[in-house]
Amino acid sequence: MEETKNYEIYDRLMQLIDILNLKRSQLSIKMGFSPTFFQKPRDFSVLVLKRLCELYPEVSLDWLLFGIGTPLIKRDKEKNEILGENGCQRAAGTILL
């Protein structure tokens, strides 16, 4: 069951790469990983999610992890000023990793 969930997250991450108009290797390098990091499904640690959120705070964590909602959420500038730039957006607000 866990393996299926990992593949689902990987599939959504591949969709996100397309939405952001990036290549897998570009995102890998931008996040500080080797160019082949996203070439095959793997377990994604909190560090990976944290780096993704730092680079793209408009990403919906609900969508990425659970498939709920849409891939991108409009940012709330007031909340970002208070919370800083290290949070991923959730449908119910911002969470910090």
Side-chain angles (χ1 to χ4, degrees):
M1 186 83 168
E2 282 299 313
E3 186 173 328
T4 301
K5 288 187 178 194
N6 289 334
Y7 282 110
E8 290 172 0
I9 292 170
Y10 179 80
D11 289 343
R12 284 190 288 274
L13 187 55
M14 295 303 102
Q15 291 175 43
L16 183 64
I17 288 171
D18 288 340
I19 290 166
L20 296 172
N21 200 26
L22 296 170
K23 293 182 180 174
R24 293 177 196 183
S25 59
Q26 288 175 311
L27 182 61
S28 297
I29 291 168
K30 203 169 188 179
M31 291 178 65
F33 301 118
S34 73
T36 59
F37 185 79
F38 292 117
Q39 294 302 317
K40 61 180 181 175
R42 62 175 63 231
D43 291 333
F44 294 107
S45 69
V46 172
L47 176 63
V48 173
L49 296 176
K50 183 178 186 310
R51 286 185 183 172
L52 181 66
C53 291
E54 289 171 350
L55 289 170
Y56 301 99
E58 68 273 18
V59 170
S60 167
L61 195 56
D62 286 335
W63 177 80
L64 184 59
L65 295 177
F66 309 111
I68 298 169
T70 59
L72 303 177
I73 296 176
K74 197 171 188 177
R75 294 176 67 175
D76 183 337
K77 290 183 182 181
E78 287 181 23
K79 285 185 180 178
N80 282 336
E81 287 174 11
I82 294 168
L83 295 174
E85 294 295 324
N86 61 345
C88 257
Q89 296 289 326
R90 292 206 61 210
T94 304
I95 63 166
L96 299 176
L97 294 177

